[in-house]
């Protein structure tokens, strides 16, 4: 009987390890995509319906080390993957990270959204011309943007408090 309990315990513990390892690697993969060193600046864009400017609108630029470190610290608060339900999205931010690349520069993009329940999600994505230069931000554009970014592989995150609007 004693060996049966030990076998059961080993089986249960062994079954839990891969899930934790997978969750950890998922978190690390996003954290590693936006390394803290070498960030030149971070542009913050927002899709907003109350603006006459082309969407998404540039609302802030972080070049100060403290601001950049706050964003990197926020990325490190990721705790789990979760699919996003498009109709619940209220706001879509795009964080554009600028990194030096020899004599030029590369950009990496992170979408950050807020849903109607006050939950926040982030996802690395590839920026395309289709995602920029909307004349107005409507429900149809919202649906199109989420579709192009993708509804899977989002991470639940804490609120990024240094954003404005």
């Amino acid at each position: 009987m004693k060996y049966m309990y030990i076998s059961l315990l080993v089986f249960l513990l062994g079954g839990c390890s891969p899930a934790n390892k997978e969750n950890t690697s998922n978190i690390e993969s996003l954290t590693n995509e936006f390394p803290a060193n070498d960030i030149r600046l971070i542009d913050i864009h927002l899709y907003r319906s109350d603006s006459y400017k082309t969407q998404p609108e540039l609302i802030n630029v972080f070049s100060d080390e403290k601001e950049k470190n706050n964003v990197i610290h926020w990325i490190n608060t990721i705790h789990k993957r979760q699919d996003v339900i498009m109709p619940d999205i209220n706001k879509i931010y795009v964080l554009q990270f600028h990194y030096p690349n020899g004599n030029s520069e590369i950009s990496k993009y992170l979408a950050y959204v807020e849903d109607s329940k006050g939950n926040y999600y982030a996802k690395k994505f590839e920026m395309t011309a289709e995602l920029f230069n909307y004349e107005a931000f409507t429900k149809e554009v919202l649906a199109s943007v989420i579709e192009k970014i993708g509804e899977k592989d989002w991470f639940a995150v804490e609120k990024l408090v240094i954003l404005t609007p």
Side-chain angles (χ1 to χ4, degrees), residues 3 26-27 29 31 36 62 76 94 98 114 124 144 162-163:
Y3 295 108
N26 287 341
I27 290 170
S29 68
T31 303
F62 298 145
N76 292 327
V94 174
H98 297 267
E114 177 184 356
K124 180 186 183 297
S144 174
I162 59 174
L163 294 177

Side-chain angles (χ1 to χ4, degrees), residues 109-135:
Y109 296 88
L110 185 71
Y112 169 67
V113 299
E114 177 184 356
D115 71 12
S116 60
K117 297 175 185 159
N119 299 310
Y120 301 91
Y121 305 96
K123 177 183 180 176
K124 180 186 183 297
F125 72 101
E126 296 299 321
M127 180 56 79
T128 64
E130 297 173 303
L131 291 168
F132 263 109
N133 299 323
Y134 288 104
E135 289 300 319

Side-chain angles (χ1 to χ4, degrees), residues 10-33:
V10 168
F11 176 75
L12 289 174
L13 289 176
C16 293
S17 297
N20 290 339
K21 196 177 234 181
E22 180 182 323
N23 193 30
T24 301
S25 67
N26 287 341
I27 290 170
E28 289 172 357
S29 68
L30 186 60
T31 303
N32 291 337
E33 289 292 330

Side-chain angles (χ1 to χ4, degrees), residues 58-106:
L58 179 64
I59 62 167
N60 211 336
V61 176
F62 298 145
S63 58
D64 179 70
E65 288 303 315
K66 183 178 176 185
E67 293 170 327
K68 293 186 298 188
N69 287 335
N70 284 339
V71 174
I72 293 301
H73 175 72
W74 167 78
I75 288 174
N76 292 327
T77 67
I78 298 165
H79 48 87
K80 64 179 179 175
R81 280 189 186 261
Q82 185 168 339
D83 291 343
V84 172
I85 301 169
M86 189 276 305
D88 286 344
I89 302 301
N90 285 340
K91 293 181 181 176
I92 303 174
Y93 292 90
V94 174
L95 284 71
Q96 180 180 6
F97 295 77
H98 297 267
Y99 292 94
N101 185 23
N103 291 334
S104 63
E105 183 173 270
I106 60 170

